[in-house]
Amino acid sequence: MSTKFYCNSDHCTDADKGPFVFELPQEAVMDGNNLATIFCPRCGKPMRQFPADTQKAGSSHRFYCHSDACRNDNNGLFFIDLPEEAILDDHNLATIFCPKCGKAMKPFA
């Protein structure tokens, strides 16, 4: 299992795919408490670690708000879960907007 980081700057966020994601192999990370700051290779901003619950399996689709305004240090990124029956397919999905800040929400692909 690898450790993933994301950059949510406007320069690095893709309209279709969400934020830029950088992945480190497990052997490169000693532990989460002694992890150095990872900087985005595109824009130079500090990257944040992927939320642990993005690996969640189940019958829902999770959409995250990547805005710093909606981020909570205790709970991580603000997200909304949509049930399976609300999604026709990933190609015909309407844009989901954050109820807090109004920015488009994206799943972590």
Side-chain angles (χ1 to χ4, degrees), residues 7 9 11-12 40-46:
C7 180
S9 74
H11 174 73
C12 295
C40 179
R42 291 182 174 179
C43 71
K45 278 185 66 174

Coordinates of all heavy atoms in Angstrom, one line a residue, residues 7 9 11-12 40-46:
C7 N -2.5 18.0 -4.2 CA -2.4 19.4 -4.3 C -3.7 20.0 -4.8 O -4.2 19.6 -5.8 CB -1.2 19.8 -5.2 SG -1.0 21.6 -5.3
S9 N -4.2 23.4 -5.3 CA -4.1 24.7 -5.9 C -4.9 24.8 -7.2 O -5.1 23.8 -7.9 CB -2.7 25.1 -6.1 OG -2.1 24.4 -7.2
H11 N -4.0 25.9 -10.0 CA -3.1 25.6 -11.1 C -3.0 24.1 -11.3 O -2.9 23.6 -12.4 CB -1.7 26.2 -10.8 CG -0.6 25.8 -11.7 ND1 -0.6 26.3 -13.0 CD2 0.4 24.9 -11.6 CE1 0.4 25.7 -13.7 NE2 1.0 24.9 -12.8
C12 N -3.1 23.3 -10.2 CA -2.9 21.9 -10.3 C -4.2 21.1 -10.3 O -4.1 19.9 -10.5 CB -2.0 21.4 -9.1 SG -0.4 22.1 -9.1
C40 N 4.5 20.1 -3.9 CA 4.0 19.8 -5.3 C 5.0 20.1 -6.3 O 5.6 21.2 -6.3 CB 2.7 20.7 -5.5 SG 2.0 20.4 -7.2
P41 N 5.3 19.1 -7.1 CA 6.3 19.3 -8.2 C 5.9 20.2 -9.3 O 6.7 20.7 -10.1 CB 6.6 17.9 -8.7 CG 5.4 17.1 -8.4 CD 4.8 17.7 -7.1
R42 N 4.6 20.5 -9.4 CA 4.1 21.4 -10.4 C 4.1 22.9 -9.9 O 4.6 23.8 -10.7 CB 2.6 21.1 -10.7 CG 2.5 19.8 -11.5 CD 1.0 19.6 -11.8 NE 0.8 18.4 -12.6 CZ -0.3 18.0 -13.0 NH1 -1.4 18.6 -12.7 NH2 -0.4 16.9 -13.8
C43 N 3.6 23.2 -8.7 CA 3.5 24.6 -8.3 C 4.3 24.9 -7.1 O 4.4 26.1 -6.8 CB 2.0 24.9 -8.0 SG 1.3 24.1 -6.6
G44 N 4.8 23.9 -6.4 CA 5.7 24.2 -5.2 C 4.9 24.4 -3.9 O 5.5 24.5 -2.8
K45 N 3.6 24.3 -3.9 CA 2.8 24.4 -2.6 C 2.9 23.1 -1.8 O 3.1 22.0 -2.4 CB 1.3 24.6 -2.9 CG 0.9 26.1 -3.2 CD -0.6 26.2 -3.4 CE -1.3 25.9 -2.1 NZ -2.7 26.2 -2.2
P46 N 2.8 23.2 -0.5 CA 2.8 22.0 0.3 C 1.6 21.1 -0.1 O 0.5 21.6 -0.3 CB 2.7 22.5 1.7 CG 3.1 23.9 1.7 CD 2.8 24.4 0.3

